[in-house]
Amino acid sequence: MDGQVRSNIHSGITVDIVLKEDQRTGKRTRGIVKDILTNSQKHPRGIKVRLEDGQIGRVQEIIKTV
């Protein structure tokens, strides 16, 4: 699923994100979405989310939906 489209993302789904400090390397972090931080419907680098553990990054891939 596309991490650039806000309607594909909601609380409770598992996603891979790229944290700001990992943007150069592209290292991904997996977690469960707590909050959606991007207001626009689409974003070319991925929708920004906060994971349940508090980390913030842009969605690269949706792993598992609820």
Side-chain angles (χ1 to χ4, degrees):
M1 275 241 221
D2 192 357
Q4 297 177 347
V5 180
R6 192 176 195 275
S7 61
N8 291 342
I9 300 167
H10 55 274
S11 296
I13 66 170
T14 303
V15 295
D16 279 350
I17 65 169
V18 172
L19 303 173
K20 181 123 182 136
E21 60 268 20
D22 294 331
Q23 283 179 349
R24 290 185 143 202
T25 63
K27 177 179 174 259
R28 294 182 177 194
T29 302
R30 186 163 291 183
I32 298 172
V33 175
K34 180 178 179 184
D35 301 308
I36 300 172
L37 304 177
T38 299
N39 290 324
S40 63
Q41 292 305 308
K42 289 187 175 186
H43 194 285
R45 290 187 308 268
I47 300 298
K48 189 179 278 189
V49 297
R50 178 181 294 117
L51 301 180
E52 287 185 343
D53 64 5
Q55 297 184 92
I56 295 174
R58 295 196 179 273
V59 176
Q60 300 300 300
E61 186 176 356
I62 298 171
I63 304 301
K64 182 177 162 193
T65 59
V66 176

